[in-house]
Amino acid sequence: MKKHAKIEKGSGNVFLDLGFPPDEAHNLLIRSDLMIEIKRFVQKSGLTQKEAAKRLGLTQPRLNDLLRGKIAKFSLDALVNILARAGRQVALKVREAA
């Protein structure tokens, strides 16, 4: 007996699709994007986690939390500061909500 899965088109924001309120879903999406950029930096740097943590101004366990996607432990402000220490500049664009 085969059951067919119902496929539903996503909104483009997985957090919104998971049921988070729109404002929180948007904040989580931005933070996850910044965390992905930090992870890419660490992967491309060739540094050990300990070396990368030092460069980013973090402890190794805190960097590990970031690399493992523990989003609740990182504010938007903290992630912007970490990226600045990685030599990255974060740009902010404000527009009308859809």
Side-chain angles (χ1 to χ4, degrees):
M1 183 153 77
K2 287 186 177 181
K3 291 188 178 186
H4 294 281
K6 182 181 175 187
I7 298 173
E8 190 172 316
K9 185 174 180 172
S11 68
N13 182 333
V14 67
F15 300 104
L16 190 60
D17 296 342
L18 287 171
F20 286 92
D23 55 340
E24 187 176 356
H26 189 68
N27 184 287
L28 287 166
L29 183 62
I30 293 169
R31 286 193 284 158
S32 68
D33 287 345
L34 296 177
M35 290 174 79
I36 289 167
E37 286 302 316
I38 295 166
K39 185 173 185 172
R40 285 185 184 139
F41 164 78
V42 172
Q43 289 172 336
K44 289 180 180 180
S45 72
L47 300 170
T48 65
Q49 265 195 27
K50 185 176 180 178
E51 293 167 337
K54 184 176 181 176
R55 169 129 183 234
L56 298 174
L58 303 170
T59 63
Q60 192 276 328
R62 183 122 168 99
L63 177 60
N64 195 346
D65 284 342
L66 192 150
L67 297 176
R68 294 181 63 203
K70 296 193 176 186
I71 197 167
K73 293 188 172 197
F74 297 90
S75 68
L76 193 52
D77 188 50
L79 294 167
V80 169
N81 291 335
I82 293 166
L83 281 163
R85 289 190 291 271
R88 304 293 194 267
Q89 183 177 27
V90 177
L92 178 66
K93 183 177 180 180
V94 178
R95 58 185 165 94
E96 288 282 330

